[in-house]
Amino acid sequence: MVKEIAPNLSYHYWGLGVRGLELGEEADPSVIVRGSEFNHDKEIEMEDDEGHMGTATTRMSSYRTKASASPSFTDKCRYREGWEDIWLLLLGSDDGEGNIRKQTHTGTSNAYDYTFKVNVESPQDPYFATIYNGFAKTVNDAYKYEDCLLSEFELSGSNEEAPTYTVTFQSNFPKFHQTNPTRTFPNTTIFPKSAEVRIYIAPQGSYTEETIAQYEYPCYLDWSLSVNNNIEGVACSGDAFGESTKVLGNREGTFNITLPWTEATKNLEYKFMGGNTNVATTTVSPNNDIKTVWIVMTSAQIGSNVGVNYKTIIKIPRIVMTAVNSPQSGSDAKQLELEGNIEESGTESFIETIITTALSDLHIDNTPSN
């Protein structure tokens, strides 16, 4: 008797390809994501065919009504390994003339500044992606998820752990028995560590890196930023079984952070209750407390460019605080928990992200389909 061996799950790996706006159904896996978790969330839905037959049941048979998937994965914020492309899928980067907002970083030849933000004046459709999940132990056991739209994004970190992001897509049911995508990686993987993350919480307004510096809260415990596009996959009459038409929902965004309750942070609670007025006020205000939040992550130097580092600046111009509270009993250290909803003004992007990186081009596949 031949004994079989079940291989380890570690042989799984996945790749991402952004579909160019003129491309057809799919994109090649242009970048391999060295992530830690992948959830296929694929589902085949069934319904019963019922009718009276003069027996003890009305269930005669069942049939398939829908096949769909919502793949998701988690990874650190790895430059050149999908981090920049995720922001393209979330916000876009259209400059108004159909070009990606990219420029060579001042004084360098191999560092680039990408700006990702919603084009409020001329809203653009989001990019589609194709996700491949390979299995290196065998040849034709990969899955290919087509027509992927980014539905949910969450970025989180703490004072002890490097920040990670999780993205969830709405896609067609995956094609299976696919050939494994080619695995290629940069020689070194670069991502921000916990000590390389700076959080700034300022009164709502416009800032530069210099002017917002006074509002840094360096001693945070944990934080998270999330965006939910509430995308649904709807099976329309013209869609083949396993495919769906993607329907954009109402976008929602939140920001949360936990800080030690100290002389430096306690006024955030009083400002919230007082409607961001005089901190000495003693009565609650009907006015909202609106903040501008920056998350800045600085990593390794880019090549030989002294003073030029891999860097991500996430600007959230308008967050309406919904709760700022600290416990008033217990034996643990006193903490301050902040929660807020991201609001949109209609005149600027609800988030703007600037990434300085050595990646010369985003992983967009513009090869026409045959």
Side-chain angles (χ1 to χ4, degrees):
M1 178 179 178
V2 177
K3 295 183 178 180
E4 296 187 6
I5 299 175
N8 194 291
L9 282 168
S10 64
Y11 286 104
H12 276 284
Y13 66 100
W14 52 93
L16 173 72
V18 179
R19 194 172 85 191
L21 297 179
E22 303 301 323
L23 198 62
E25 292 296 322
E26 60 187 81
D28 288 332
S30 305
V31 60
I32 299 299
V33 177
R34 285 191 268 197
S36 58
E37 297 178 38
F38 188 98
N39 184 358
H40 56 75
D41 199 16
K42 60 184 190 293
E43 181 180 13
I44 299 176
E45 299 180 24
M46 310 279 292
E47 283 192 7
D48 290 338
D49 180 19
E50 296 182 304
H52 287 271
M53 301 176 291
T55 66
T57 181
T58 59
R59 183 180 180 274
M60 298 183 292
S61 64
S62 60
Y63 58 96
R64 294 181 174 186
T65 59
K66 182 181 179 181
S68 62
S70 300
S72 65
F73 61 80
T74 300
D75 193 15
K76 294 183 174 68
C77 308
R78 301 181 197 275
Y79 293 96
R80 306 169 298 164
E81 298 184 63
W83 174 238
E84 299 91 344
D85 307 288
I86 290 301
W87 284 101
L88 177 69
L89 296 173
L90 179 66
L91 300 177
S93 183
D94 183 73
D95 67 352
E97 298 181 355
N99 303 310
I100 298 294
R101 297 177 184 267
K102 182 189 79 170
Q103 60 184 20
T104 302
H105 190 84
T106 303
T108 73
S109 59
N110 60 348
Y112 307 90
D113 296 326
Y114 288 89
T115 299
F116 303 100
K117 64 180 181 179
V118 174
N119 188 332
V120 178
E121 294 78 17
S122 180
Q124 306 294 306
D125 288 336
Y127 282 83
F128 281 87
T130 303
I131 297 173
Y132 297 73
N133 189 299
F135 192 62
K137 190 68 173 177
T138 57
V139 178
N140 294 316
D141 289 304
Y143 287 87
K144 178 165 67 174
Y145 300 80
E146 296 177 348
D147 280 356
C148 299
L149 272 188
L150 199 160
S151 184
E152 298 177 50
F153 168 88
E154 181 172 6
L155 174 66
S156 60
S158 76
N159 60 328
E160 296 179 341
E161 298 179 348
T164 61
Y165 70 91
T166 299
V167 282
T168 303
F169 297 82
Q170 280 291 328
S171 79
N172 298 339
F173 194 87
K175 293 181 178 178
F176 42 95
H177 286 162
Q178 302 294 297
T179 303
N180 284 324
T182 302
R183 285 175 290 161
T184 57
F185 309 101
N187 292 330
T188 57
T189 183
I190 297 170
F191 55 87
K193 317 303 190 297
S194 60
E196 297 172 327
V197 180
R198 299 284 183 266
I199 307 286
Y200 305 85
I201 306 172
Q204 196 273 325
S206 297
Y207 296 92
T208 65
E209 289 190 66
E210 291 73 25
T211 59
I212 205 168
Q214 62 184 305
Y215 298 107
E216 181 182 1
Y217 288 86
C219 194
Y220 57 81
L221 300 176
D222 56 64
W223 57 272
S224 67
L225 166 66
S226 65
V227 177
N228 190 344
N229 289 317
N230 286 300
I231 295 174
E232 295 184 11
V234 178
C236 297
S237 58
D239 295 328
F241 188 75
E243 297 181 355
S244 63
T245 298
K246 310 305 183 290
V247 179
L248 298 175
N250 191 47
R251 182 166 53 214
E252 301 171 310
T254 60
F255 172 76
N256 300 284
I257 189 169
T258 303
L259 306 165
W261 191 95
T262 66
E263 287 294 322
T265 65
K266 68 178 185 179
N267 285 337
L268 288 168
E269 185 173 13
Y270 299 130
K271 285 276 191 178
F272 169 72
M273 293 184 292
N276 201 19
T277 55
N278 187 342
V279 72
T281 187
T282 59
T283 57
V284 68
S285 170
N287 299 322
N288 280 335
D289 181 16
I290 305 175
K291 302 294 190 186
T292 292
V293 171
W294 283 29
I295 303 168
V296 180
M297 302 187 287
T298 305
S299 301
Q301 179 176 294
I302 299 177
S304 59
N305 300 296
V306 177
V308 180
N309 297 72
Y310 288 90
K311 191 173 188 177
T312 299
I313 302 176
I314 303 170
K315 305 177 183 180
I316 314 169
R318 187 178 176 89
I319 296 179
V320 174
M321 305 310 299
T322 57
V324 181
N325 293 310
S326 60
Q328 297 185 4
S329 67
S331 58
D332 296 330
K334 191 170 175 63
Q335 298 178 356
L336 193 62
E337 297 180 353
L338 286 74
E339 302 175 5
N341 291 330
I342 300 174
E343 285 200 345
E344 304 198 25
S345 65
T347 59
E348 61 183 342
S349 180
F350 73 106
I351 297 175
E352 178 180 341
T353 296
I354 302 171
I355 298 181
T356 302
T357 176
L359 184 68
S360 58
D361 290 296
L362 299 176
H363 297 102
I364 302 174
D365 185 356
N366 286 304
T367 306
S369 332
N370 293 327

